[in-house]
Each structure stands twice: as C-alpha cells, then as structure tokens.
C-alpha cells in the first residue's frame, strides 16, 4: 500500500517500511530554500510515522542534487540553512539511504554524506566542485568527507573539484555500493529493505574514523598547503585546507562552525561573484536567437581545408568529438605535412602516457587527407582554415561551391577578414558562417561563431551544435574587423605599447598584468605567438593607417632584427637554449630608449596600479563599443570571450564584470583623464557614458 503526501518540490511516499523522499526541483534539483524546507518536512514525516523503518532520498529526473542553488548566492539567505538540513538527516534515528543517479555535486554530495548509507547507479557524478565557484563546501563537505575517506583523498577531491565515478567513489569509501540498472529509487529502496532486515544501525558520518591517524592527516594537509600556495590570487583553496585542518583539530560541531565561517567569507568575496558570473555567462553565451528559432542541420562527416597549425588543430578537435574528418591540402607534400601535424598531437599524448597506439590508430581510421576537393562530395560541414588572405579564401570557396552537396554548411576560420565578402563570392551565402577557433584549436575552449548578414538561422544553430559536440564554449559575434576578441585585443595591446614608449618597461607591464591574474603579460604572449604575425599585419595595414594616430615602432624595430620571440630564441625577452621562460634583454631596453628619443618622449615612471588601470580601461571601453555596435549580444559575451580565449582570470569574471565591480563611473573617469593626453585614442564609448549617466552597470544589459 502506498500513502502519498506531497509538498511542492519534495514529496514522499511510503513503500511498505520505507519512506521514499523525492526531490523534484527542475532543472537539476538545486537546493533552493523550498527544497531545504521540504527535506526537513520529509524527515519530520519519517520520524512521525511508526511504520517507517528507513528513509530513501532520491532526485527526480537525471540528477540527484546539483548542489546549492547558485542563483541564491549574494541574496539574503532564507532559513533553513543547508547545514541544519544535513544535521537533521544525520540525526535521524531511522537509517537514511541516499540513492544517487546523475549529479551529486557540492551541497548535493553533502546531503548524501549526511545520510547513513549511499548507493549510486552507473553514470552518477559525485564531487565537491565549490572551488570552481570561489567557495568551499559549506555544509559539512570538509568535515564529513575526510572522516570517511581520510584527509589526502578528501583534499584532492575538494581542491580539484573533480567528479568521481561510482566505482571510484566506492573504492574510496564515499559510497557503499554501486547498483545495476538505471532506477536509483528502486536501488535505494532495495538497499533500505536489506538494512531493515539486517537491523542495521544508523551510521552518522560524523562518527567515521578516517582521521584517526592524525599524523597521516597532518602530512596530507601540509602537502596540500604547499600546493595551494602556488595558486596565485585564489582565496578558497587555502580555506579548504584550513577547514580540513579544523576537521583534524576540532570536535565535529566546532569544525562545522569553522567551515561555515570560511564559507561565508568566501561567499562574500568578489572572487565568488566573478566565478559564479562566469558559470552562468558561459551557459548563456551557448544560447543565441538562432538556436531558439531554428534546428541545427544534421552533420556526420566534416571536411577541413588546410593542414597547417589551425587546420590540424581543428581536425583533432573534430576527431576527438568522434566525427570523421576529410582534410584537403594543395599538393602531396602539404597533405603529408597536414597528416603529420595531426599525428603529432596524438604522439604527444602517447609520449605523456595519456593515450596508447591502439587508440591513436582507431582515431586516425576516421581521418583521411586528399588534394582533391571532390573528396568533399559527401561531407555535411566544412571548416576552411587556409592562409588569411581574401584572394586565397575566395579561391577555396569557389571550389567548395562547385563540389559540396546542397545544404552543406561552410565555416570559415578567418580571424579578421570580412565574412560577408567571402560569403558573397559564392552562390550559397546562406550556408556560410564564421567559425573562429583559437590556437591550439584542439585545446582552447573558445569558439567565436560569426554571423554574416545572409546566413540562414539553421546554419548558425548548426555552428552552436558543432561547438557543443567539440566541447567548446561558443560566443556569438557579428562581422567586424577582429570580431569580439581580436578587435578588443588590438586596442588594449596599443595601450600597452603606449605605456612602453612612455616609460614602463615591457617587463614591468607583463609583471603587473600577471599579478592582476593573467597567466602571461602581453609581451610574453607576443613572444609566444611569434612577433612576425603582428608585423605582417602592421605592414599590410600601413597604407590605410590614420597618419595622425600615434604609432609605436618598437615592435617593428625588434622584428626587423629577426627577433620574433620564442621560436627565434629572442623577442622582447631572451630565451637562451630554447628556454620557455624569458629573461629581460638589455638590448631590447636600448631599442626602447632609442625609440623614445626618436619619438620625442620623455620617459616617466608608471606604478603597477596605473598600468592595470590603463590596460583595463582600454579593454573595457572597446568591450563597451563592441556591445554598443551589436557585435557582441551582451556584455557577458565579451566576458566569456576573454575568459576562454585570452587568459583573462576567470575569478574576475571577465572584463565587463570586473568593470562593474570597479564601478563604471571610475572607469569612465579614468578614460576622461587619459584623454587629456591623447583624445584620439581615449574616446569614451557611448554605451559606457550612457550607463554611467543612468547609474546602471553592464550586468543590467545581461538580463535584457
Ligand atoms: C554548493 O553546493 C555550496 C554548498 O557546498 C554549500 C551551501 C551552504 N544552481 O550545466 P547545465 C542550471 S555550490 C542553480 O546546462 P548539464 C544551469 O544554469 C554548487 N542552477 O546542464 C542551467 O540553467 P539554464 C556546487 C543550476 O546537464 C541548467 O541548470 N555545484 C545549478 O550540462 C542546466 O545546467 C555545482 O557547482 C545550481 N547548482 O550539467 C554544480 N546547476 O537552463 C554546477 C546547474 O537556465 N552544475 N544549474 O541555462 C553543473 O556542474 C552542471 O549544471 C550539471 C548538469 C553537471 C549539474
């Protein structure tokens, strides 16, 4: 007999001796206030019903519980707090079983850890990913998990935020068993009945003895502390270590209070705000007006034109997604080079022990390369990645127009060229979309999806579907010189060059920006990418450059000497014997001095703070222009572009989120101040001015 009571989002049903409690809060059963209250009510119901001998907690749909409701962060917390819910579950006098399918993450795993027994079915993902949001587990994760598994394993799981498979979780003692089948509720109820039959006791995790060996726990904590000391800028990892230290040093209830105070400290931090912004921004950027209105075209076979660095990287990305690739190159030699470029990636993985030869062979069985465009007759989607020159691209497009079947999608990986012009050169402009990958294309997450004027909606939707298949982070952009990322880059890179000519050394600028959180400064990036690339672009554009605009020639002087960066062992830095980390070069400093003199500049000192302010003001201002002109849909698209394509520190959320945190009025005041020296370069964006006038911020446009 089944007796049902229902609450809004947590309902319970008695199945004979077992109370089955179902959390039903789509899309992912996050622990919203209603869920928390519902869980307490369910535990009360279990306690009140003498017929109930055990309780099973299960999630409706694909997931157990994805964690705290991230949308509640930063708002006034409503009772009951999650630690109270967990304490209530753990204090139950009737055994509680967590039956896990899908995600049991963050607070979701903490709920499971406060149950007395845990069972998971295949496909479950268990983890404490709070550090990725600038937090630490705030509901006993740092206290209960080490008590179950020991400190070393718990620290690894919490600091990495990685997901455990059911098998790995069972081996470490996080769960008790892995059940067959796909019905977590049935597995939970069966387990509960076994426990009742065996008269199994309640088994609070707080009493588990995983920390009994204090010396081992302390050694793990000390090792973790050394590791987190190297994580520049981030607060929460060191708080994780502090909280696990408390698990060793303090009784359980006191440890819970310590964890809570660290959690609240992190919750209040701008890092948490930045990381949560990034979490939602990358989910929003994956949607576009076209994906809402049109269905993607089906694609099973992909063509890639060009086997250079980009073409090979794109081929690997597509192969890694499980799709077959046909690569086209000019001649047999180029075909062989293209194939070798692809193989090199997999050989690198084999050398690192991350792949075996058999797997490589299986992947390459899906790869073919040819000099004949006719080999593309049956592909559904083509990505062109040939030399960045309009004439060359148009030649390729003419061939594609000739051979491709009707409805095949044609992506161009141009970084700067006018895609409308490329699309307009063939008979089917509606099939052409920009797919701007970042190098190395098999690793970098960003994919700018550039939407030309005549493209049809389902082609854009197909591009977003491709991004999903390739596990890229897509951002929609419109056509302009440089799209979102490179257009903004050109401007802040110029701001860096101006500072260099005005008196800051490239080494100071790089250092100031590393301290801000970039993995590398702009001059290090230039040395890594190769100075010759930018030099070629500058030469190409020399004829059309505004003769009155300030032009810093230092980079040209360096390139004229053949110093292109790491690949030539010197650029802005020296790289003796192929070193990866450069050393400052006195000869470069002498070139800079000479250029300052030539330009009539009296060098002055810059503080690191001023360097960051100018660099960021240039980035934010051009970001605002890009949104104002509709090149990016919203400020969050600029943020996602910079976090995933340009090394912007994720914990700052992105340049536009950072601007909101600084205050748009302050950013605008800086720009107006800088404009006093160079009003041609420092022109406040109309969008920035209007937001400041209205007292609004960029976030207000993300909601629109
Ligand atoms: C925490 O738990 C703190 C505690 O220790 C302490 C508390 C005191 N909240 O990713 P998807 C939304 S911190 C609210 O596209 P998938 C998401 O925005 C939390 N919303 O699906 C999206 O909405 P929309 C620790 C959430 O199947 C929709 O759900 N937990 C949450 O590819 C679908 O998401 C985490 O960090 C949430 N917690 O992946 C886990 N999670 O449709 C974060 C998701 O409007 N979540 N949404 O765009 C994930 O890793 C993935 O979402 C998951 C599903 C693997 C669950």
């Amino acid at each position: 007999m089944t007796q049902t009571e229902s609450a809004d989002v947590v309902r319970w049903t008695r199945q004979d001796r077992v109370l089955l409690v179902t959390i039903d809060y789509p899309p992912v059963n996050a622990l919203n206030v209603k869920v928390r209250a519902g869980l307490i009510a369910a535990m009360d119901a279990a306690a009140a019903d003498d017929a109930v001998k055990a309780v099973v907690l299960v999630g409706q749909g694909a997931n157990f519980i994805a964690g705290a409701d991230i949308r509640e962060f930063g708002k006034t917390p409503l009772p009951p707090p999650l630690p109270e819910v967990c304490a209530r579950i753990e204090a139950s006098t009737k055994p509680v079983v967590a039956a896990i399918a899908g995600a049991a993450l963050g607070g979701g795993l903490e709920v499971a850890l406060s149950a007395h027994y845990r069972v998971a079915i295949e496909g479950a993902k268990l983890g404490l990913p709070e550090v990725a949001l600038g937090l630490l587990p705030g509901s006993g994760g740092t206290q209960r998990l080490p008590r179950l598994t020991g400190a070393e394993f718990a620290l690894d799981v919490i600091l990495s935020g990685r997901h455990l498979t059911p098998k790995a979780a069972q081996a470490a003692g996080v769960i008790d068993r892995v059940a067959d089948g796909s019905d977590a509720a049935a597995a939970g109820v069966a387990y509960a009945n076994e426990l009742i039959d065996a008269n199994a006791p309640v088994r609070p995790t707080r009493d588990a003895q995983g920390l009994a060996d204090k010396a081992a726990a302390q050694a793990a904590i000390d090792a973790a502390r050394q590791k987190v000391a190297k994580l520049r800028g981030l607060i929460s990892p060191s708080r994780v270590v502090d909280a696990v230290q408390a698990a060793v040093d303090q009784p359980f209830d006191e440890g819970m209070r310590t964890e809570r105070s660290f959690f609240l400290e992190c919750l209040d931090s701008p890092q948490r705000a930045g990381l949560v912004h990034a979490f939602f921004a990358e989910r929003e950027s994956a949607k576009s007006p076209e994906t809402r209105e049109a269905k993607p075209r089906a694609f099973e076979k992909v063509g890639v034109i060009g086997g250079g660095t980009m073409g090979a990287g794109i081929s690997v990305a597509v192969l890694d997604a499980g799709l077959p690739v046909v690569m086209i190159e000019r001649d047999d030699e180029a075909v062989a080079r293209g194939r070798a470029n692809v193989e090199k990636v997999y050989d690198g993985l084999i050398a690192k022990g991350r792949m075996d030869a058999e797997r490589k062979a299986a992947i390459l069985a899906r790869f073919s390369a040819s000099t004949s465009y006719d080999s593309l007759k049956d592909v559904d989607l083509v990505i062109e990645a040939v030399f960045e020159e309009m004439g060359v691209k148009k030649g390729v497009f003419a061939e594609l127009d000739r051979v491709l079947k009707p409805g095949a999608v044609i992506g161009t990986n141009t970084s700067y060229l006018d895609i409308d012009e490329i699309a307009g050169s063939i008979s089917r402009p509606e099939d052409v979309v920009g797919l701007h990958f970042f190098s190395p294309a098999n690793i970098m997450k960003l994919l700018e999806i550039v939407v030309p004027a005549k493209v049809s909606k389902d082609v854009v939707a197909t591009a977003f579907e491709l991004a999903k298949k390739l596990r890229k982070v897509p951002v929609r952009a419109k056509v302009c010189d440089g799209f979102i990322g490179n257009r903004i880059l050109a401007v802040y890179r110029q701001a860096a060059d101006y500072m260099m000519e005005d008196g800051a050394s490239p080494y100071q600028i790089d250092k100031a920006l590393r301290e801000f959180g970039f993995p590398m400064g702009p001059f290090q990036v230039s040395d890594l990418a190769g100075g010759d690339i930018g030099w070629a672009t500058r030469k190409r554009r020399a004829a059309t450059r505004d003769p009155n605009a300030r032009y810093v020639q230092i980079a040209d002087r360096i390139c004229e000497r053949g110093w292109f960066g790491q690949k030539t062992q010197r650029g802005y830095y020296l790289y003796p014997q192929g070193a990866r980390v450069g050393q400052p070069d006195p000869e470069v400093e002498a070139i800079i001095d000479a250029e300052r003199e030539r330009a009539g500049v009296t060098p002055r000192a810059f503080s690191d703070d001023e360097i960051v302010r100018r660099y960021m003001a240039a980035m934010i201002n051009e970001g605002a222009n890009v949104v104002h002109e509709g090149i990016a849909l919203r400020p969050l698209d600029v943020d996602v572009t910079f976090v995933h394509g340009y090394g912007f520190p994720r914990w700052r959320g992105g340049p536009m989120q950072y601007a909101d945190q600084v205050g748009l009025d302050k950013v605008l005041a800086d720009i107006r101040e800088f404009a006093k020296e160079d009003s041609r370069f420092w022109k406040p964006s109309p969008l920035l001015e209007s937001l400041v006038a209205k007292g609004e911020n960029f976030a207000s446009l993300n909601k629109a």
Side-chain angles (χ1 to χ4, degrees):
M1 196 189 95
T2 305
Q3 174 197 327
T4 304
E5 284 190 48
S6 69
D8 217 9
V9 294
V10 179
R11 56 176 182 271
W12 47 92
T13 308
R14 189 161 66 75
Q15 296 192 353
D16 193 10
R17 302 172 295 174
V18 177
L19 194 72
L20 179 64
V21 177
T22 306
I23 298 132
D24 186 2
Y25 185 57
V28 291
N29 300 329
L31 290 156
N32 167 277
V33 59
K34 285 194 279 184
V35 177
R36 299 196 300 272
L39 281 169
I40 298 238
M43 295 313 298
D44 287 347
D49 186 346
D50 285 342
V52 170
K53 304 296 177 204
V55 181
V56 172
L57 304 179
V58 71
Q60 178 72 35
N63 297 299
F64 178 64
I65 300 171
D69 186 344
I70 302 173
R71 292 181 204 276
E72 284 183 342
F73 293 160
K75 300 186 183 148
T76 313
L78 294 170
L82 191 58
E84 200 176 301
V85 178
C86 290
R88 180 75 186 80
I89 293 169
E90 192 172 53
S92 166
T93 54
K94 302 173 184 181
V96 182
V97 176
I100 301 168
L105 297 174
L109 183 58
E110 291 175 304
V111 166
L113 292 176
S114 48
H116 305 126
Y117 298 90
R118 284 160 290 281
V119 53
I121 59 170
E122 281 308 335
K125 292 185 254 190
L126 300 94
L128 293 169
E130 284 87 344
V131 280
L133 300 172
L135 292 167
L136 66 154
S139 195
T142 67
Q143 306 300 299
R144 288 192 179 93
L145 189 63
R147 281 177 164 82
L148 267 187
T149 67
E152 187 179 354
F153 183 85
L155 278 163
D156 174 49
V157 167
I158 304 173
L159 288 171
S160 68
R162 71 191 165 95
H163 295 173
L164 299 169
T165 61
K167 273 202 188 75
Q170 186 188 27
V174 181
I175 61 172
D176 301 284
R177 60 164 73 169
V178 183
D180 292 333
S182 58
D183 188 343
V189 171
Y191 192 13
N193 277 313
E194 278 178 45
L195 293 167
I196 297 166
D197 291 340
N199 218 359
V202 293
R203 198 186 53 172
T205 306
R206 59 189 281 154
D207 298 336
Q209 290 304 307
L211 295 175
D213 183 346
K214 287 215 170 191
Q218 196 55 52
I221 290 171
D222 294 344
R225 202 176 288 288
Q226 280 189 2
K227 265 197 212 144
V228 301
K230 292 186 198 128
L231 299 173
R232 275 177 309 118
L234 290 174
I235 308 167
S236 76
S238 70
R239 285 309 194 207
V240 166
V241 181
D242 294 341
V244 174
Q245 182 76 62
V248 173
D249 295 343
Q250 299 172 357
F252 182 80
D253 289 329
E254 197 183 334
M256 285 297 290
R257 282 192 292 276
T258 304
E259 177 196 77
R260 187 76 182 159
S261 73
F262 294 149
F263 176 78
L264 294 176
E265 175 194 332
C266 290
L267 192 64
D268 268 347
S269 73
Q271 295 192 355
R272 191 277 304 156
L275 287 164
V276 168
H277 171 78
F279 177 89
F280 286 120
E282 58 209 17
R283 279 164 178 75
E284 276 310 305
S285 79
K287 301 166 192 159
S288 81
E290 292 84 0
T291 57
R292 287 190 193 100
E293 289 168 28
K295 281 210 163 14
R297 294 182 188 172
F299 56 93
E300 272 157 25
K301 194 168 179 188
V302 176
V304 175
I305 320 296
T309 310
M310 275 324 274
I314 293 168
S315 298
V316 170
V318 177
L319 289 168
D320 286 349
L323 295 166
V325 171
V326 184
M327 177 188 276
I328 302 293
E329 259 295 1
R330 272 191 317 279
D331 50 38
D332 290 340
E333 209 178 298
V335 162
R337 220 174 17 244
R339 175 179 282 278
N341 285 340
V342 169
E343 289 203 29
K344 203 160 66 191
V345 175
Y346 294 113
D347 289 339
L349 293 176
I350 292 174
K352 284 186 200 135
R354 284 165 47 197
M355 184 174 277
D356 57 28
E358 216 175 304
R359 175 99 189 99
K360 174 187 160 187
I363 293 173
L364 287 179
R366 282 187 274 112
F367 176 77
S368 63
S370 159
T371 54
S372 166
Y373 277 86
D374 292 316
S375 316
L376 298 176
K377 275 194 160 56
D378 61 343
V379 302
D380 309 295
L381 189 154
V382 172
I383 306 168
E384 165 280 306
V386 300
F387 188 64
E388 189 75 345
E389 208 270 314
M390 187 56 89
V392 178
K393 300 263 190 206
K394 281 186 178 167
V396 168
F397 268 67
E399 283 296 288
L400 294 175
D401 202 9
R402 183 178 66 78
V403 299
L404 292 181
K405 65 184 182 190
V409 171
I410 313 175
T412 171
N413 176 55
T414 179
S415 314
Y416 288 99
L417 296 177
D418 181 350
I419 302 178
D420 285 320
E421 187 180 335
I422 301 176
S425 72
I426 61 169
S427 69
R428 35 174 136 181
E430 67 280 3
D431 294 336
V432 177
V433 67
L435 294 173
H436 184 209
F437 287 83
F438 288 71
S439 186
N442 55 312
I443 294 179
M444 293 291 284
K445 285 278 169 226
L446 181 63
L447 179 63
E448 274 180 311
I449 294 178
V450 190
V451 179
K454 292 196 178 143
V455 67
S456 68
K457 286 179 182 152
D458 61 347
V459 168
V460 179
T462 311
F464 276 89
E465 187 62 24
L466 176 74
K468 196 162 155 192
K469 281 224 167 95
L470 304 191
R471 307 175 111 196
K472 299 287 177 204
V473 179
V475 173
R476 182 188 190 276
K478 292 231 295 226
V479 177
C480 73
D481 188 358
F483 315 131
I484 300 177
N486 283 347
R487 170 167 160 179
I488 298 173
L489 163 74
V491 177
Y492 67 78
R493 202 48 194 72
Q494 228 173 327
D497 282 348
Y498 292 165
M499 289 190 275
M500 173 165 65
E501 194 172 63
D502 286 340
S505 83
Y507 315 120
Q508 186 197 358
I509 295 170
D510 280 350
K511 180 177 141 286
L513 291 161
R514 281 196 307 272
E515 275 164 14
F516 178 81
F518 285 95
M520 279 187 236
F523 299 101
Q524 289 174 293
V525 171
S526 165
D527 274 2
L528 181 67
D532 47 334
I533 297 167
W535 193 31
T537 312
R538 290 196 298 279
K539 284 193 275 197
R540 219 174 30 241
R541 293 188 176 164
T544 51
R545 199 163 32 234
D546 175 357
N548 296 316
R550 181 174 175 189
Y551 180 71
V552 175
Q553 299 181 24
I554 297 168
D556 295 346
R557 294 296 91 78
I558 291 175
C559 288
E560 283 157 11
R561 287 166 170 78
W563 301 350
F564 297 146
Q566 291 197 16
K567 61 184 169 191
T568 57
Q569 303 204 355
R570 68 192 299 179
Y572 288 96
Y573 293 80
L574 286 168
Y575 303 89
Q577 280 104 43
R580 302 288 297 274
V581 181
Q583 298 163 5
D585 183 348
E587 285 186 57
V588 166
E589 288 179 310
I591 293 170
I592 296 170
D593 281 340
E595 277 301 308
R596 286 174 183 152
E597 215 171 298
R598 187 197 54 74
V601 172
T602 312
R604 70 173 178 89
F606 283 77
S607 67
D608 289 0
D609 175 62
E610 183 180 357
I611 289 171
V612 169
R613 271 184 22 228
R614 283 177 178 262
Y615 197 76
M616 288 311 304
M619 195 184 296
I620 293 161
N621 199 50
E622 194 60 10
N625 283 332
V626 157
V627 175
H628 185 61
E629 292 169 26
I631 303 299
L633 280 174
R634 301 144 298 199
L636 69 82
D637 295 281
V638 176
D639 286 338
V640 173
T641 301
F642 277 84
V643 167
H644 289 285
Y646 295 80
F648 194 93
R650 184 181 170 84
W651 51 272
R652 292 195 190 270
M656 313 311 264
Q657 159 79 10
Y658 172 75
D660 278 355
Q661 286 191 1
V662 170
L664 296 193
D665 51 342
K666 289 208 180 73
V667 177
L668 181 60
D670 271 351
I671 292 170
R672 288 188 172 140
E673 187 60 34
F674 305 151
K676 288 180 189 159
E677 315 150 2
D678 183 352
S679 58
R680 192 180 295 271
F681 181 73
W682 292 105
K683 282 196 204 90
S685 164
L687 177 63
L688 186 58
E689 285 182 319
S690 86
L691 288 173
V692 171
K694 288 187 280 187
E696 288 176 3
N697 59 12
F698 287 128
S700 63
L701 302 177
N702 288 334
K703 292 188 191 100

